[in-house]
Amino acid sequence: MATSTSWAERLGAHPVGLRGAALSCKARGEGRPALAFPAAREFKQAGARASAGPAREAVKLAASSLAAFGLSALLQFAPLGAPSALANESTVLNFGPPKDGYVVDDAAVLNRVTKAELKAVLKELEDTDGFHIDMITLRKLTSKADAFEFADAVLEKWYPTIEEGNKKGIVLLVTTQKEGAVTGGPAFVKAVGDQVLEAVTTENLPVLAVDEKYNESFSSTAKRLIAAIRGLPDIPGPKFEESKRESNFKTKEETAEKRGQFSAVVGGLLVIAFVVPMAQYYAYVSKK
């Protein structure tokens, strides 16, 4: 009988995991005259307490009203989406492979049409070719260094042995960081190929995510991976437009030109500031 092998046993001490694919000291009020008699002091303290009572109650009432208003507003305007939308990395890790499909939309950015299409094409891939791909959106990544590290952790958690994860693939998209990753078992990585794996993580996932086209990002990624597994021609992904990479900073030439204009203006103002008073003084003296 064949024995199962864990990822740790297979990978040994490789630090990169499965990534082969691809921040009494109070002031005493000295100088104020003290009350002469204890009775007068007690009378003054009582008066102060009496006068402070209504003010203190008014402050408490106002604070309670503000707290109630804040809680009401929070309950009214807080998003009431699915629990997965409020999940975090640990929830996704412990969630396990989705029972009703191939998509875990933690970031809540995919519409129902895209989810249905992904489930259909990924199920057809598994039934026909035996490869299983899970596609995950995550709103924010905080527990891992990058998307690849978290994707590796998901693969190891969901499919603990090499036998279970051999033909499994994980596609991850972190919407806040606009970062994507693809990882998988040995058979999956070999079938897709390093070139397509790298292209997907640098083109399909991040480029479309920058424009918040998350549905198109996942749809194009799934089609590209399926085509690679089946040996079909590659489907090129989108590229970052050069216009979006233009810097807002001025060039050296523009800065030098502006500096020259500024110097000329300042020089002219200085000349006027010195010459005009001297001319007026000369005219005044000459009249005398």
Side-chain angles (χ1 to χ4, degrees):
M1 178 184 297
T3 59
S4 61
T5 307
S6 68
W7 294 102
E9 293 172 342
R10 176 67 177 268
L11 297 171
H14 289 288
V16 296
L18 309 178
R19 205 178 301 178
L23 243 156
S24 63
C25 297
K26 294 184 178 179
R28 299 181 182 277
E30 296 177 357
R32 288 185 304 180
L35 293 176
F37 304 101
R41 182 166 56 249
E42 292 175 2
F43 177 78
K44 184 175 182 179
Q45 291 174 350
R49 287 195 297 269
S51 62
R56 184 180 297 110
E57 293 299 326
V59 171
K60 289 183 179 179
L61 180 61
S64 300
S65 300
L66 287 174
F69 176 77
L71 180 59
S72 175
L74 179 63
L75 293 176
Q76 181 175 358
F77 296 106
L80 299 178
S84 63
L86 303 178
N88 52 28
E89 297 101 306
S90 61
T91 305
V92 172
L93 283 172
N94 296 325
F95 183 77
K99 304 296 188 296
D100 60 342
Y102 303 80
V103 180
V104 178
D105 186 21
D106 168 76
V109 294
L110 303 177
N111 59 43
R112 281 185 287 183
V113 174
T114 300
K115 290 179 182 178
E117 290 177 350
L118 289 173
K119 291 176 182 179
V121 297
L122 294 176
K123 184 179 187 305
E124 196 269 338
L125 173 70
E126 186 170 19
D127 293 341
T128 304
D129 301 273
F131 288 92
H132 178 102
I133 301 176
D134 293 306
M135 307 192 74
I136 306 167
T137 68
L138 195 65
R139 188 182 66 84
K140 190 175 182 180
L141 190 62
T142 58
S143 65
K144 299 295 182 182
D146 56 30
F148 280 100
E149 186 177 347
F150 185 75
D152 287 344
V154 171
L155 182 65
E156 294 182 20
K157 180 72 174 180
W158 288 7
Y159 309 105
T161 66
I162 292 293
E163 289 73 19
E164 290 180 274
N166 188 38
K167 302 184 76 173
K168 303 296 193 302
I170 300 292
V171 177
L172 174 67
L173 177 63
V174 185
T175 58
T176 302
Q177 286 98 326
K178 313 300 183 187
E179 181 184 12
V182 181
T183 190
F188 173 82
V189 172
K190 182 178 180 181
V192 176
D194 293 343
Q195 184 175 354
V196 173
L197 288 172
E198 182 178 358
V200 167
T201 56
T202 57
E203 297 174 0
N204 300 76
L205 293 175
V207 174
L208 292 170
V210 168
D211 294 329
E212 297 187 354
K213 297 179 180 179
Y214 303 114
N215 293 279
E216 184 180 350
S217 174
F218 260 27
S219 296
S220 63
T221 295
K223 293 176 183 178
R224 194 168 189 177
L225 292 175
I226 291 172
I229 290 174
R230 292 175 173 171
L232 301 175
D234 184 34
I235 305 173
K239 302 289 193 301
F240 280 109
E241 296 179 9
E242 291 300 325
S243 59
K244 294 184 179 180
R245 295 185 177 185
E246 291 181 358
S247 174
N248 293 326
F249 295 102
K250 297 183 182 297
T251 63
K252 183 178 180 180
E253 291 76 12
E254 291 174 337
T255 303
E257 181 181 356
K258 293 292 183 181
R259 186 183 294 115
Q261 295 175 356
F262 178 76
S263 300
V265 172
V266 172
L269 292 175
L270 289 174
V271 169
I272 295 173
F274 282 101
V275 172
V276 172
M278 291 177 65
Q280 291 177 339
Y281 177 74
Y282 177 78
Y284 173 76
V285 172
S286 62
K287 288 180 180 180
K288 287 185 176 183

